[in-house]
């Protein structure tokens, strides 16, 4: 394990797969609001609704903020140990957004526009997702690759 080696990145190769399930929740669960700053909470629950953003879309964003925080902690830990320069970080979604309305929703939870389809469909809106690859080894290159890749969860 990474910490057991004292962060010695030369001790052995490290493969780490972290699958966050924060936005995979049911309509009755509450996002962990305690992880939000006061400004984030105000933005999600006052500013967005005042601009016509549906509350369920704001709740989805609220569920995603802890994923951003956790991913930042992973990157910061790798950086502090001197391992980030030797790492390849890949971030991707698992499927397209859920564009269905649940009972009482004023808008769908997700949007895959301009793609057709949704989560659990074979149209591009269900299977074509954003992602990126970052590595210090690629820093000199500013290429954008448009290619097919496959992932699973």
């Amino acid at each position: 394990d990474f910490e057991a080696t004292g962060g010695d990145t030369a001790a052995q190769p490290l493969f780490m797969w972290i699958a966050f399930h924060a936005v995979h929740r049911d309509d009755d669960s509450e996002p962990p609001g305690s992880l939000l700053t006061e400004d984030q909470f105000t933005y999600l629950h006052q500013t967005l609704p005042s601009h016509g953003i549906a509350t369920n879309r704001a709740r989805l964003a609220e569920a995603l903020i802890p994923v951003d925080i956790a991913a930042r902690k992973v990157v910061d830990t790798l950086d502090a140990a001197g391992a980030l320069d030797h790492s390849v970080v890949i971030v991707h979604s698992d499927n397209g957004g859920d564009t269905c309305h649940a009972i009482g929703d004023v808008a769908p939870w997700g949007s895959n526009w301009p793609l057709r389809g949704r989560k659990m469909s074979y149209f591009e809106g269900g299977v074509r997702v954003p992602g990126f690859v970052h590595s210090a080894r690629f820093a000199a290159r500013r290429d954008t690759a448009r290619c097919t890749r496959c992932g699973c969860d």
Side-chain angles (χ1 to χ4, degrees), residues 82-98:
L84 188 58
D85 288 343
H86 307 290
S87 298
V88 177
V89 178
I90 303 170
V91 177
H92 67 90
S93 181
D94 61 346
N95 50 250
D98 191 354

Side-chain angles (χ1 to χ4, degrees), residues 3 48 69 111 135 152:
E3 289 187 12
L48 289 180
I69 293 168
S111 172
S135 175
C152 62

Side-chain angles (χ1 to χ4, degrees), residues 16-37:
M16 182 183 338
W17 177 315
I18 304 172
F20 294 106
H21 293 271
V23 294
H24 291 83
R25 61 181 187 77
D26 58 60
D27 291 333
D28 296 326
S29 65
E30 288 293 323
S34 61
L35 295 175
L36 303 177
T37 66

